[in-house]
Structures are given as C-alpha cells and as structure tokens.
C-alpha cells in the first residue's frame, strides 16, 4: 500500500478522534450475489455478435474493473469455443482427405488387378482405357488440389482468428458431396446458435 498524503490522513484522524483507517473484507460469495443484481448483460447487435455489459456501483473505477473482467472472461470463453470448433473441422478435413486418398489407392490397385486378370491385348482398347482412367484421376487430382487449397485457406484464416462462420460459408457449396455440405451446414447452425 502506498500512502501519498500521510499528513492529511493524520489530520483527519485527529479531527475525528478515532482510530486509523481500516478495510472491510467481504465474503466473495455475498459480493457476487450483490453484484449480480446490479449487473445488466444484453445483446447489443446479434449480427455482429456483440454484447453490452453494464454495472451500477458507487465507485465507477471498481465498476469498470468488474465489467472489464467479465468481458475478458467472455472473450476467453468465446476463443476457447472457437478453437474447439476449429479443431473438429480440421479433424474432419484430415479424415476426409485420408479416406479419399485411400479410395484412390484402392481404385488404382483394382484397375491393375483387372488388367492383369483380363490380359489386355488390344493396344487401342488399352490406350482408351488408360486415357479414360487418367482423365478421371486428373479430375480427381484437380478436385483434391482445389480442396487442399480451400483447407489451406481455412487453416490460414483460423490461424489469424478470423470468423469461422465466414470461412465455412466460403467452403459451403465448393463440394459436390452432399455429406460434406451437410456437415458444414450443421457446423454453421452450431456457430449461429452460439
């Protein structure tokens, strides 16, 4: 404790003819109940996801500190929740990429086995089949590269703590897969309900 005007305190004590100043330490639980009745938290703008926190108290500095502490807790909770959602999204993306790659490898193996079993003799048929398969793989590779670029952009946006709703909206519709679009729709609903 730093005393800036000790002489004034002594003068005041002598004028009151009383003991030195003292502090009253109150029960934290009782103070929390008292402040909760003086605290008003409301939604300021639902689209911007902002809230208003107001506290009435005789000491404006103490009220400001309490409101700032509540705001910091809210921000910390929101960041924690966004991190959990982001982790789930990344897990889903990684699993999807792994499954697609596994399916491609299995398809390649099946084609090779089929060619060996059926002993392709006609070079024209073989060339047409190879060309068709290459076109499919090229299209799949292009689709995978596109998805990987979307995932890279999503990862970058998440690292920069950008809004997850706008990131998911960018990705939604980029897939022809109704399962992925369904999962993204559910994630958007979850984020909007927050």
């Amino acid at each position: 404790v730093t005393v800036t005007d000790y002489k004034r305190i002594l003068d005041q004590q002598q004028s009151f003819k009383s003991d030195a100043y003292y502090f009253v330490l109150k029960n934290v639980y009782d103070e929390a109940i008292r402040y909760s009745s003086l605290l008003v938290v409301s939604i300021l703008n639902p689209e911007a996801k902002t809230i208003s926190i107001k506290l009435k108290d005789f000491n404006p500095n103490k009220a400001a500190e309490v409101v700032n502490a509540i705001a910091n807790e809210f921000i910390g909770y929101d960041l924690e929740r966004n991190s959990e959602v982001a982790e789930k999204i990344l897990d889903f993306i990684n699993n999807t990429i792994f499954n697609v790659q596994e399916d491609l490898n299995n398809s390649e193996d099946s084609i090779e086995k089929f060619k060996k079993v059926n002993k392709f003799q006609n070079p024209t048929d073989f060339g047409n089949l190879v060309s068709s398969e290459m076109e499919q793989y090229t299209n799949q590779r292009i689709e995978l590269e596109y998805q990987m670029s979307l995932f890279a952009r999503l990862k970058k946006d998440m690292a920069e703590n950008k809004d997850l709703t706008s990131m998911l909206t960018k990705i939604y519709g980029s897939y022809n897969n109704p399962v992925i679009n369904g999962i993204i729709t559910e994630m958007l609903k979850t984020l909007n309900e927050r």
Side-chain angles (χ1 to χ4, degrees), residues 143 146-147 150 153 167-177 180-181 184:
E143 180 65 24
Y146 175 70
Q147 289 177 4
L150 280 176
R153 186 172 61 191
M167 288 187 278
L168 289 175
T169 305
K170 288 178 191 175
I171 292 175
Y172 184 76
S174 299
Y175 296 99
N176 296 329
N177 187 331
I180 293 175
N181 283 332
I184 292 173

Side-chain angles (χ1 to χ4, degrees), residues 23 70 81 96 105-107 129 146 156 174-175:
F23 293 95
I70 291 170
R81 186 122 189 245
T96 302
N105 291 339
N106 290 339
S107 295
L129 179 64
Y146 175 70
K156 178 184 170 205
S174 299
Y175 296 99

Side-chain angles (χ1 to χ4, degrees), residues 111-120 126 129-130:
I111 290 170
E112 289 299 321
K113 287 178 186 175
F114 179 79
K115 286 194 277 185
K116 286 180 183 177
V117 168
N118 291 313
K119 299 178 184 174
F120 277 106
F126 180 72
L129 179 64
V130 168

